[in-house]
Amino acid sequence: MFQIAGRRVWVAGHRGMVGSAIVRRLEREGCEVLTVSRGEVDLRDAQAVAAWIAANRPNLVFLAAATVGGILANDTRPAEFLYDNLAIETAIIHGAHRAGVEKLVFLGSSCIYPKFAEQPIRESALMTGALEPTNQWYAIAKIAGVMLCQAYRAQYGADFISVMPTNLYGPHDNFDLAASHVIPALMRKAHEAKVAGAPAMGVWGTGAPRREFLHVDDLADACVHLARVYSGPDPINAGTGVDLPIKDLAQLICKVVGFQGRLEFDTSKPDGTPRKLLDVSALQSLGWTARIDLEDGLRTTYDWFVQNGAGRRAA
Ligand code: GFB
């Protein structure tokens, strides 16, 4: 058991959807939360990161900083997704090791697994087949992060663990249509179509791919739980164990938003991997199960969007 209360905890990437959820979750832990802004330290800069860690001496690090995006951003900005993520991971993991950080939780992604992995995907499927081309750059960087944690554990005994979340959603998501994942994109499209009184809204691809969605507050809870109870080299999947076709997701979002028009599928846009359902038995055997129902989570996310993001494009 790693004790969190009374410790210094750095959340790297605290302005993002995942990092901000971890900060909110840590409020209940009685620890001191440390954050640093992008203006103060560029997390890709290994020297600056090492100096900041040495000066601030965290005991525990949540590595939630990353360049992220949906299928189109991944497919069209390969250099940024590969370089930024490799640079951030090497800077923080090496810096944490050098400063004697006791525990580090690295956040990866379910896209690290092969495109045609057997479903639901077990952690042991890692590197058993070819990746999905639309997100291979991001996936390679995240696989390197998992391997870094394993290497520092094997060579130096560092207690660095990896968590592989399925597709995430929730408050503070990116609702910019060019870079967002499917839930914020469809929420914005349904909202704008409703407001404009439009007869239809666009959905990318065929609607057939299946995805699993985890609310980011559930993920934050899982990360804190794993920081406390898990110590091992294998990544741990974090998901709900339930998936649905994109077409059904689009209909559910229309229901939540109150848009009653048609869905128009744009098959010039990529489908991506056909299915990406995680096997969550390892996480369940460690004592954690997701709690937030998809429709409930979509409703609270839509409320957040209407209050915070509907009138402007997210950066
Ligand atoms: O969420 P998403 O962008 O990422 O797309 P991936 C999921 C599915 O939703 C794809 C479809 O089949 C998309 O074609 N989709 C339908 C849409 N309409 C839209 C839309 O308006 N916007 C978007 N973005 N999608 C990502 C990876 O893959 O998964 C990342 O690119 C990361 O690296 C993330 O791993 C978890 O699930 O396909």
Side-chain angles (χ1 to χ4, degrees), residues 71 74 109 111 135 138 167 180 182 189 204 211 270-271 276:
I71 192 165
N74 268 268
S109 164
C111 72
N135 59 32
Y138 182 71
N167 286 37
S180 62
V182 60
K189 287 183 193 174
W204 293 355
R211 293 290 185 274
D271 268 346
K276 204 164 40 167

Side-chain angles (χ1 to χ4, degrees), residues 27-51:
E27 282 167 13
R28 309 207 301 265
E29 291 298 317
C31 58
E32 185 182 349
V33 176
L34 311 175
T35 59
V36 62
S37 72
R38 192 175 295 213
E40 286 170 86
V41 176
D42 178 347
L43 296 179
R44 296 169 302 181
D45 178 342
Q47 269 189 318
V49 168

